[in-house]
Amino acid sequence: MRAADISDQLTDVLVTEEQIQARLRDIAAQVAVDYADKNLLLVGVLKGAVMVMADFSRALPTVAPMDWMAVSSYGAGTKSSGVVQIRKDLDEDLTDRDVLIVEDIIDSGLTLSWLLENFESRGAASVEVFALLRKPDAAKVHVECKYVGFDIPNEFVVGYGLDYAERYRNLRDVAVLAPHVYA
């Protein structure tokens, strides 16, 4: 589904599928160089990172195993509680692994900050972050992000894995959801 198909539900397209794919190829090429002699493990954060992880891993010119984690700091609300709950833990041991967390978006940074500390405490050789999208104006804590696809405004966005009430994840573009949809 493209933004044009549901234009009555969106206000602005921030990043198109074509822009996303081009940026993923660029970052994948850099990651391949940066991790050439390392024990790389890609870790995706469910559910939002599914699209990013799938396309990013296919763009990598090297073998890179992946694992998944599901965490929540929102519960049933729309604002972070600040308390992180593990919904699904990793299957892989992180000891001496070079972990690259693959995220769809960095918003407040609270959950990602917790993940970084958690992975370091598990004995990872290194832990870095790749986020397709980052909202600098929404940050509550500073999170060092080695690879960033796009900085976007502090708007409610959907598409390319990002959802509203489990809808819009399959939108191929990243767009601002119109307030009348969620208000």
Side-chain angles (χ1 to χ4, degrees):
M1 172 175 63
R2 295 302 299 257
D5 299 327
I6 57 167
S7 60
D8 61 321
Q9 298 168 52
L10 308 171
T11 60
D12 294 305
V13 174
L14 299 179
V15 189
T16 66
E17 177 183 28
E18 295 77 15
Q19 291 170 313
I20 292 168
Q21 295 305 320
R23 190 71 181 118
L24 288 176
R25 285 190 299 273
D26 292 345
I27 293 171
Q30 186 60 53
V31 166
V33 170
D34 293 349
Y35 288 87
D37 297 322
K38 300 202 175 187
N39 191 11
L40 177 62
L41 174 67
L42 304 177
V43 173
V45 182
L46 294 170
K47 296 179 187 172
V50 168
M51 306 296 186
V52 179
M53 178 73 95
D55 289 345
F56 176 70
S57 65
R58 284 191 298 250
L60 274 173
T62 59
V63 174
M66 63 178 82
D67 200 354
W68 298 92
M69 189 166 197
V71 295
S72 176
S73 63
Y74 288 84
T78 57
K79 296 202 175 192
S80 175
S81 66
V83 177
V84 177
Q85 296 177 327
I86 296 175
R87 305 285 181 159
K88 185 234 174 274
D89 206 346
L90 298 171
D91 296 324
E92 296 285 327
D93 180 4
L94 298 186
T95 305
D96 298 326
R97 299 298 296 268
D98 294 290
V99 176
L100 180 60
I101 299 172
V102 178
E103 269 280 32
D104 53 350
I105 191 166
I106 298 176
D107 206 325
S108 70
L110 293 170
T111 301
L112 190 53
S113 175
W114 182 88
L115 274 176
L116 287 165
E117 288 180 25
N118 182 283
F119 289 1
E120 287 169 5
S121 76
R122 295 183 190 202
S126 67
V127 183
E128 299 288 353
V129 177
F130 161 45
L132 179 66
L133 306 168
R134 178 175 61 183
K135 292 181 180 178
D137 294 340
K140 292 191 167 118
V141 295
H142 174 74
V143 174
E144 194 62 40
C145 192
K146 187 167 186 172
Y147 311 98
V148 177
F150 304 92
D151 282 329
I152 62 171
N154 191 13
E155 301 280 351
F156 193 89
V157 295
V158 294
Y160 203 73
L162 298 162
D163 76 301
Y164 169 66
E166 292 300 322
R167 298 177 60 216
Y168 305 102
R169 286 190 197 279
N170 65 322
L171 177 63
R172 293 174 170 271
D173 311 293
V174 174
V176 177
L177 190 62
H180 75 268
V181 174
Y182 60 89

